[in-house]
Amino acid sequence: MKRLFIAALLFAAVLPAQLRAQTITATYTTTHLKNQVDAVFTGEMDEKDSYKDKSTQPPTIYKYIYSSGKSLTTMTDDGGFSKSSDPAKKYTVVAPTTEIHFKDAEKNLYRIEWIVNDKLESHVGELINYNWKITKEKATIAGYKCIKATGTLSGHTVTAWFAKDLKANDGPARFSGLPGLILKASLDDLYEIEASNIAVMETSTEIAEPVAQTTTKQF
């Protein structure tokens, strides 16, 4: 009996990390390299006009939690976003003041709840396929060895750095789909998001899908 007990302990000690109950938390900071414009159009606008050359938006901070294939990314404040207008261009510059991202890998589900231009919006769809290509480039981010991958999103180039030692096929906000937690990602030269304050707990956490507060639209 004693031998069986010892054998069970040894087996548990060598179980792959992805089979153990585990929770990962982190803080992610988004740096806006250019001002992104979600516009309420009242006239024509060239695609290249949808971004200003230099960002005046302060960093946005998100709290992240992952467990058992589900994750939640939540904006911690209003991100310092504000509305402004440009009569010459005939559009109003707006940005989210609230963001909640929920992902469920088993259901292949991605949901976002956010407030844009004082209007609550809810969208749901499948996890985004970035067609990742893993490179041989490596870097250390937040103390973890990471590997670089590149992909695409709506014609934009996405660059991500993921840590294989963090067993989560996930990342902050909309990002996911690599064999390790994404600790840094960028979309062209528009913005980048990077992790800090990473904590790993050997216990599971129940992460519930947010309840839609308005009519949910499909992506």
Side-chain angles (χ1 to χ4, degrees):
M1 190 68 172
K2 185 176 180 180
R3 290 180 179 178
L4 289 175
F5 178 71
I6 294 174
L9 287 178
L10 290 173
F11 178 73
V14 298
L15 270 176
Q18 62 265 36
L19 297 182
R20 301 176 192 160
Q22 194 175 73
T23 298
I24 302 173
T25 62
T27 299
Y28 281 88
T29 301
T30 296
T31 302
H32 305 276
L33 306 177
K34 290 186 178 181
N35 278 338
Q36 299 177 61
V37 174
D38 266 320
V40 178
F41 295 98
T42 57
E44 296 295 326
M45 182 177 74
D46 292 337
E47 182 178 354
K48 64 182 179 180
D49 289 332
S50 64
Y51 299 97
K52 295 183 179 180
D53 290 336
K54 184 178 179 181
S55 176
T56 57
Q57 298 173 0
T60 307
I61 311 299
Y62 297 88
K63 292 297 183 183
Y64 172 87
I65 184 170
Y66 170 92
S67 186
S68 304
K70 298 178 182 179
S71 71
L72 194 65
T73 307
T74 308
M75 183 189 289
T76 61
D77 55 27
D78 66 2
F81 294 140
S82 60
K83 301 175 191 175
S84 62
S85 61
D86 185 343
K89 297 289 184 182
K90 296 184 180 180
Y91 61 84
T92 301
V93 178
V94 298
T97 55
T98 297
E99 280 185 61
I100 299 175
H101 301 260
F102 172 81
K103 299 195 293 293
D104 186 332
E106 184 177 348
K107 295 181 179 180
N108 190 30
L109 181 145
Y110 169 51
R111 172 185 289 277
I112 180 171
E113 308 280 329
W114 56 0
I115 296 176
V116 181
N117 198 23
D118 295 328
K119 181 182 178 182
L120 177 63
E121 296 189 6
S122 175
H123 297 269
V124 67
E126 296 182 349
L127 294 174
I128 298 171
N129 180 6
Y130 293 91
N131 294 309
W132 293 115
K133 294 182 179 179
I134 298 175
T135 74
K136 295 183 179 180
E137 291 186 53
K138 298 180 180 180
T140 299
I141 299 171
Y144 287 88
K145 295 179 181 179
C146 294
I147 302 172
K148 181 181 177 181
T150 59
T152 57
L153 175 65
S154 301
H156 295 282
T157 298
V158 181
T159 302
W161 295 86
F162 67 96
K164 295 180 71 173
D165 288 341
L166 294 171
K167 306 298 182 181
N169 186 21
D170 199 61
R174 70 185 71 185
F175 300 107
S176 65
L178 287 166
L181 183 64
I182 296 172
L183 298 188
K184 185 176 181 178
S186 61
L187 182 69
D188 285 338
D189 59 348
L190 303 178
Y191 73 86
E192 62 182 23
I193 185 167
E194 186 169 349
S196 61
N197 303 321
I198 300 168
V200 180
M201 295 165 283
E202 299 302 326
T203 182
S204 61
T205 300
E206 179 63 30
I207 300 176
E209 180 177 349
V211 177
Q213 302 299 315
T214 186
T215 302
T216 298
K217 301 176 182 178
Q218 294 287 325
F219 283 122

